Amino acid sequence: MAKLNFGGVEENVVTREEFPLAKAQQVLKNEVVAVIGYGVQGPGQALNQKDNGINVIVGQRKNSKTWDKAVKDGFVPGETLFEIEEALQRGTIICYLLSDAAQIQLWPTVKKHLTAGKALYFSHGFGITFNEQTGIVPPKDVDVFLVAPKGSGTSLRRMFLQGRGLNSSYAIFQDATGKAKERVVALGIAVGSGYLFETDFKKEVYSDLTGERGTLMGAIQGIFAAQYQVLRSKGHTPSEAFNETVEELTQSLMPLVAENGMDWMYANCSTTAQRGALDWWKKFRDATLPVFNDLYESVATGKESQRSIDSNSQVDYREKLEAELKELRESEMWQAGKTVRSLRPENQKPAEVVA
Ligand SMILES: NC(=O)C1=CN([C@@H]2O[C@H](COP(=O)(O)OP(=O)(O)OC[C@H]3O[C@@H](n4cnc5c(N)ncnc54)[C@H](O)[C@@H]3O)[C@@H](O)[C@H]2O)C=CC1
Ligand SMILES: CC(=O)[C@](C)(O)C(=O)O
Ligand SMILES: [Mg+2]
Ligand SMILES: [Mg+2]
């Protein structure tokens, strides 16, 4: 374990240098890793483990699209692809990668197969932290831990294929065998993580739910919408409003932030932009701080998890969700974005040229 300095604070990080793949293979050599669910994280984690030489099987409902996808991806029915219950029975490590809501439904079945010494693996702290809402309380004689890749399962797979690795958090909730630490770190490496950051279940889920509702998804859409609305109401065209709100950010400025930080992006903009951005960022911070405090409170009191569970358990939720996504997609801002994207030189012909 390396102690690294993060802005003056020391934290424990596991690196691939100290825990190479060969060590992970060694730790997992007598395990059967059963990946339950083949949605977004399932394929990424299962395929990376397969390519890393881990004994991995997939558990998925037969006659489903994702069963067919698993077959297409190289999992063989009866050998490495099974109905969920059979995979649960065969697995010594159960990677519980159903959606958080579906985990509640299937829990009684999973619990039945968690015999002494097995391990229960999550990619989120949700089910355990909010166990009063989810009912997920594992037996005492199994290991319980998580590896949460900090990004989409799609990126996890893509980055693995490029020889890179996505950073993940890991946490141990229960160490029944005395081997939870080596098991979880080995799995973290096997699923394709770059670095593994130590956390606990509660911190993982609180930060994850805050982040996706906040700057990663919710807040950014909110800020985009507000600026776009002001520009449009002051007579700017949709293309101008979109370019100055989204396109320039994603295409030009955020890649600079990703590469070398915000100060470096600022330093590469005009002195005019720098002056204004330095003056205004604190106003935006102060204006949004109360909202972020409300958000964290809503996560910590279990309101957000309850809302997610309640929504996801409605039979017509998929349709309702699609209607909300459609509203976003069909908003003027994102429709303008569609045309702006089509004008990127690499996207050749404009999608819609008005005669
Ligand atoms: N989507 C992502 O990239 C990320 C997800 N996670 C976590 O990973 C876990 C898995 O999430 P996703 O891959 O997004 O899940 P998902 O929403 O893609 O669903 C996974 C699987 O659950 C199956 N499923 C749904 N309802 C079912 C039911 N009632 N019975 C049996 N199977 C059912 C689906 O067929 C699918 O194969 C969650 O804990 C999530 O929070 C963590 C980081 C990122
Ligand atoms: C991709 C990820 O880590 C998220 C945004 O938290 C999620 O999909 O839940
Ligand atoms: Mg999340
Ligand atoms: Mg996340």
Side-chain angles (χ1 to χ4, degrees):
M1 181 105 65
K3 267 215 182 301
L4 298 183
N5 183 324
F6 293 89
V9 179
E10 298 234 307
E11 294 183 42
N12 290 325
V13 178
V14 178
T15 66
R16 281 197 278 195
E17 289 76 51
E18 73 180 274
F19 208 105
L21 179 59
K23 191 164 165 189
Q25 289 165 333
Q26 176 66 23
V27 169
L28 298 174
K29 73 176 189 303
N30 295 321
E31 308 272 12
V32 176
V33 182
V35 171
I36 307 299
Y38 207 74
V40 181
Q41 279 296 318
Q45 298 196 22
L47 288 169
N48 289 357
Q49 291 191 76
K50 183 161 158 290
D51 290 351
N52 275 334
I54 306 301
N55 187 10
V56 59
I57 62 174
V58 170
Q60 179 55 38
R61 289 179 293 193
K62 227 179 197 157
N63 302 321
S64 64
K65 266 200 218 133
T66 43
W67 172 281
D68 298 340
K69 177 173 159 44
V71 172
K72 230 173 79 216
D73 287 349
F75 291 96
V76 182
E79 283 177 31
T80 51
L81 175 61
F82 300 94
E83 285 277 9
I84 290 180
E85 256 208 91
E86 184 162 3
L88 285 169
Q89 192 240 316
R90 287 173 179 259
T92 57
I93 297 177
I94 307 300
C95 296
Y96 205 16
L97 298 182
L98 298 186
S99 66
D100 298 310
Q103 287 177 16
I104 299 172
Q105 274 183 298
L106 203 76
W107 175 244
T109 311
V110 173
K111 195 172 174 186
K112 211 168 66 192
H113 292 283
L114 286 175
T115 48
K118 283 197 183 187
L120 177 63
Y121 164 112
F122 293 90
S123 282
H124 206 0
F126 195 104
I128 294 284
T129 303
F130 300 112
N131 64 11
E132 284 183 9
Q133 294 162 358
T134 65
I136 297 181
V137 180
K140 286 276 168 249
D141 52 3
V142 299
D143 291 345
V144 181
F145 40 64
L146 68 77
V147 172
K150 294 285 109 184
S152 167
T154 307
S155 327
L156 184 73
R157 181 63 180 159
R158 279 189 192 162
M159 289 170 82
F160 176 84
L161 291 173
Q162 293 164 1
R164 298 159 67 200
L166 188 66
N167 291 336
S168 301
S169 297
Y170 78 94
I172 296 167
F173 176 71
Q174 204 166 278
D175 183 3
T177 63
K179 295 199 162 116
K181 178 74 187 289
E182 62 174 33
R183 273 171 137 181
V184 70
V185 172
L187 285 159
I189 300 294
V191 302
S193 309
Y195 288 85
L196 288 160
F197 299 95
E198 198 177 65
T199 187
D200 61 44
F201 272 60
K202 194 162 139 183
K203 291 255 164 46
E204 193 285 328
V205 68
Y206 283 18
S207 58
D208 193 83
L209 296 187
T210 301
E212 67 205 13
R213 281 156 184 70
T215 60
L216 303 178
M217 297 168 71
I220 198 158
Q221 165 60 20
I223 283 194
F224 284 169
Q227 175 168 304
Y228 185 89
Q229 191 178 322
V230 168
L231 289 173
R232 288 289 288 134
S233 73
K234 302 294 178 193
H236 297 265
T237 60
S239 67
E240 187 163 67
F242 188 85
N243 277 327
E244 284 298 338
T245 303
V246 180
E247 189 71 357
E248 180 170 341
L249 181 72
T250 60
Q251 301 307 294
S252 160
L253 301 182
M254 271 301 154
L256 297 180
V257 177
E259 211 177 303
N260 241 337
M262 192 62 87
D263 58 319
W264 194 68
M265 186 269 264
Y266 275 29
N268 280 282
C269 290
S270 66
T271 51
T272 308
Q274 283 179 42
R275 184 65 267 138
L278 285 167
D279 289 343
W280 277 87
W281 78 262
K282 291 181 183 161
K283 288 192 193 175
F284 282 106
R285 178 196 60 195
D286 295 344
T288 56
L289 201 60
V291 185
F292 281 102
N293 275 319
D294 283 355
L295 165 58
Y296 194 88
E297 188 64 15
S298 188
V299 169
T301 54
K303 208 168 137 202
E304 293 304 307
S305 46
Q306 192 59 52
R307 171 149 170 80
S308 168
I309 293 168
D310 291 346
S311 318
N312 276 288
S313 53
Q314 292 167 18
V315 278
D316 59 347
Y317 186 58
R318 289 232 164 250
E319 291 94 84
K320 285 189 187 152
L321 183 67
E322 181 42 40
E324 285 183 71
L325 293 174
K326 184 163 179 265
E327 193 187 324
L328 205 54
R329 181 162 65 240
E330 291 184 350
S331 65
E332 185 195 279
M333 179 169 74
W334 291 110
Q335 283 300 307
K338 194 174 164 201
T339 310
V340 169
R341 287 194 298 277
S342 77
L343 295 172
R344 289 181 199 154
E346 70 271 24
N347 290 346
Q348 304 147 2
K349 286 215 175 95
E352 274 172 57
V353 179
V354 183

